[in-house]
Amino acid sequence: MSPAADIWASLPVPALLIDADDRILEINAAAEGFLNVSAKSVVGVPIWDQVNVDSPLEEAFARARNFETPLFVNDVDVGGGQRAPLQCGLQIAPLQGAPGQMIMLISPRELAGRITQHDSVKSAAKSAIGMAEMLAHEIKNPLAGITGAAQLLSMSLSKDDLELTDLIVEESRRIVKLLEQVEQFGNLSPPDFREVNIHDVLDRARRSALLGFGAQMKIIEDYDPSLPMAHGDPDQLLQVVLNLLKNASEAAGKDGGTIRLHSYFEHSFRLRRSDGTGRSLPLQIEIIDDGPGLPEAIKADVFDPFVSGRENGTGLGLALVSKIISDHGGSISVTSVPGRTVFRLSLARAPNKLALKKEV
Ligand SMILES: Nc1ncnc2c1ncn2[C@@H]1O[C@H](COP(=O)(O)OP(=O)(O)OP(=O)(O)O)[C@@H](O)[C@H]1O
Ligand SMILES: [Mg+2]
């Protein structure tokens, strides 16, 4: 192979070569993966049929070709025949020495997000939660006093005024519940690592959801039966899946919807740490729902504590999920468009028993 062909094949970014009639000439291996198609099947296909961009690009694209200048487009949703749209940046440039031909690179935002999100989520959550924990502790005592006083007061009140003291007691209880949730967050112990069968965890969560908050939902299992054991704390991972199922059920509302629990193995998935070392996270678990999707306004911050799109939400569910996964050394990411929201967990495989024995 020529060096150019080597570079083309090893480029880790989806890349497409487009001819003068806006048809696909060639796509590299990364683009095959991204678009979920084979190179052979898309050669000759009009580019905009295969790559769906949510904003009209044709004109800018034609201009870049005519003036032989590069074109950069940030933050557009790009979808392909088989896949849901992802937020991406596009880099387009005329190919030197081949008039009319253009090269297009697609950089999904999610890839970058997955790698960097880890540390920043951790520290943001830590400081906000630390503050809230302190407040929780300080507020609980006076609140108990207020509730007690209201109850005493209610003894000497007429029936009509009782409504008011009931309101005080009820609302105080709601605050206490919130404070307890905050405290629970702070008290989360480090994971008790063992070999976990992820499918058992998913099953337990599924059954408990169907009996309670998710009774209106249909929950489909789509498991890779050969998935190896994960390295994790089964109780904490159950909490994670329950939270995700609860959110999906709440988003679907009374009419219900469908949640798909999808597990698969992705040998090459690694999380890069800031020190340059990588950790292999080959076990993938996706919780996919067909609800309305994340509200646009909070899309970028859903893993932060106290970010909620629901009237009575505390916004602690996903912050807890993110903390547990980060304590597990794993990774979580989300992509969401109306009709398809995917929370994806990536976890490490359990170390094999022989190696463990040697360590002991
Ligand atoms: N599957 C989903 N579909 C649509 N929106 C979602 C989904 N999951 C989460 N969200 C949005 O993200 C917000 C944050 O979720 P999170 O679980 O952190 O908090 P919450 O559900 O509002 O409150 P809590 O979990 O503490 O009761 C939700 O309020 C909701 O708006
Ligand atoms: Mg929640």
Side-chain angles (χ1 to χ4, degrees):
M1 259 206 268
S2 69
D6 285 341
I7 293 172
W8 180 253
S10 11
L11 210 59
V13 178
L16 298 94
L17 195 62
I18 300 153
D19 72 10
D21 300 320
D22 286 350
R23 285 172 192 278
I24 296 174
L25 261 181
E26 220 177 297
I27 70 175
N28 71 350
E32 286 183 307
F34 178 79
L35 296 168
N36 200 8
V37 293
S38 71
K40 256 197 230 143
S41 68
V42 291
V43 170
V45 172
I47 175 71
W48 307 118
D49 286 357
Q50 188 59 51
V51 177
N52 316 124
V53 181
D54 71 335
S55 60
L57 266 189
E58 281 91 337
E59 219 174 280
F61 188 77
R63 223 176 310 126
R65 176 183 277 136
N66 289 341
F67 294 105
E68 296 191 7
T69 52
L71 169 69
F72 298 95
V73 189
N74 286 327
D75 295 344
V76 282
D77 284 335
V78 179
Q82 297 296 317
R83 61 161 9 268
L86 259 189
Q87 209 179 34
C88 297
L90 297 178
Q91 288 120 23
I92 299 166
L95 189 72
Q96 297 286 321
Q101 290 186 20
M102 305 288 278
I103 180 161
M104 177 195 285
L105 303 182
I106 305 175
S107 4
R109 282 258 315 252
E110 193 215 2
L111 291 179
R114 253 196 231 159
I115 294 162
T116 53
Q117 171 201 309
H118 194 63
D119 287 343
S120 59
V121 163
K122 220 169 159 179
S123 61
K126 248 193 198 152
S127 52
I129 288 294
M131 176 80 192
E133 253 186 293
M134 220 169 61
L135 272 176
H137 191 77
E138 291 303 316
I139 296 173
K140 264 170 100 181
N141 282 335
L143 206 58
I146 294 174
T147 318
Q151 275 164 341
L152 277 179
L153 198 61
S154 68
M155 291 178 192
S156 54
L157 285 183
S158 72
K159 227 180 176 181
D160 285 349
D161 291 339
L162 269 180
E163 226 174 86
L164 296 176
T165 49
D166 282 352
L167 186 78
I168 297 178
V169 173
E170 211 175 284
E171 290 297 287
S172 302
R173 290 224 172 98
R174 215 161 65 90
I175 301 177
V176 170
K177 229 169 98 189
L178 165 65
L179 296 179
E180 275 165 359
Q181 247 173 306
V182 172
E183 284 183 330
Q184 182 204 349
F185 194 109
N187 291 337
L188 191 71
S189 48
D192 178 11
F193 281 108
R194 54 188 73 191
E195 274 195 350
V196 187
N197 181 338
I198 284 295
H199 297 151
D200 285 349
V201 172
L202 292 173
D203 278 340
R204 270 165 70 194
R206 175 174 169 274
R207 263 181 282 135
S208 124
L210 289 175
L211 288 174
F213 58 80
Q216 80 282 22
M217 304 300 287
K218 189 168 163 209
I219 306 182
I220 301 173
E221 298 162 287
D222 179 4
Y223 299 159
D224 170 1
S226 65
L227 200 73
M229 296 291 233
H231 188 49
D233 180 327
D235 293 332
Q236 291 194 356
L237 291 175
L238 178 68
Q239 237 180 319
V240 165
V241 180
L242 278 175
N243 261 300
L244 296 175
L245 291 181
K246 189 150 178 272
N247 282 347
S249 312
E250 281 161 355
K254 274 203 275 325
D255 295 341
T258 305
I259 300 174
R260 190 156 69 95
L261 303 174
H262 182 209
S263 73
Y264 61 102
F265 194 78
E266 188 179 322
H267 179 70
S268 60
F269 190 93
R270 301 184 78 80
L271 182 76
R272 215 169 328 132
R273 296 207 187 96
S274 37
D275 63 3
T277 60
R279 180 180 161 89
S280 165
L281 301 173
L283 277 70
Q284 316 298 329
I285 302 113
E286 289 179 340
I287 285 125
I288 306 163
D289 72 70
D290 59 357
L294 294 174
E296 206 54 48
I298 59 166
K299 215 172 186 175
D301 311 311
V302 281
F303 292 108
D304 287 347
F306 310 116
V307 171
S308 174
R310 292 189 302 116
E311 200 161 321
N312 281 319
T314 55
L316 282 175
L318 288 178
L320 186 73
V321 163
S322 150
K323 179 159 194 295
I324 291 177
I325 294 301
S326 130
D327 287 351
H328 274 72
S331 129
I332 178 161
S333 64
V334 59
T335 58
S336 177
V337 288
R340 186 177 156 92
T341 298
V342 185
F343 280 90
R344 172 171 171 182
L345 309 171
S346 307
L347 293 173
R349 188 184 173 148
N352 77 43
K353 283 213 175 95
L354 286 175
L356 260 184
K357 266 194 192 135
K358 257 188 234 159
E359 266 173 38
V360 177

